[in-house]
Amino acid sequence: MGALRAVSIGHEASPECVFEEARRFLKRLDPNATVFTFATFTDAREKPSPDPLARIQTGTFEEMAPWLERHNAMGAGVFV
């Protein structure tokens, strides 16, 4: 399961709820950072080669959130 997907008692969380959790995680990871490097790749046992979802991007969470959400919806795991 990708980092942006959240399930609570069998129900998916709203995107804003998941984004708020991601913001808290990043703040705890480094309270002074304003930018992070995010990596995505296919989150499946058997990955295609080359992996069409393999990407690395650097920016603020607010800048990267739409890109991360799109890749996550396509089946990418999201990593910091």
Side-chain angles (χ1 to χ4, degrees):
M1 181 182 316
L4 290 183
R5 292 186 207 144
V7 178
S8 174
I9 312 173
H11 297 91
E12 286 194 33
S14 72
E16 191 51 44
C17 177
V18 175
F19 287 165
E20 221 17 75
E21 189 170 328
R23 286 181 194 99
R24 282 194 304 273
F25 171 78
L26 294 172
K27 193 68 167 169
R28 287 184 179 149
L29 187 63
D30 187 341
N32 299 314
T34 57
V35 297
F36 292 91
T37 298
F38 298 93
T40 63
F41 55 84
T42 298
D43 191 12
R45 186 174 303 266
E46 294 187 30
K47 295 174 181 37
S49 182
D51 187 344
L53 299 177
R55 298 281 186 278
I56 296 174
Q57 297 281 342
T58 299
T60 68
F61 178 72
E62 301 311 319
E63 293 168 337
M64 297 290 102
W67 177 80
L68 294 168
E69 184 177 30
R70 258 190 329 275
H71 276 71
N72 190 240
M74 292 187 289
V78 174
F79 303 87
V80 181

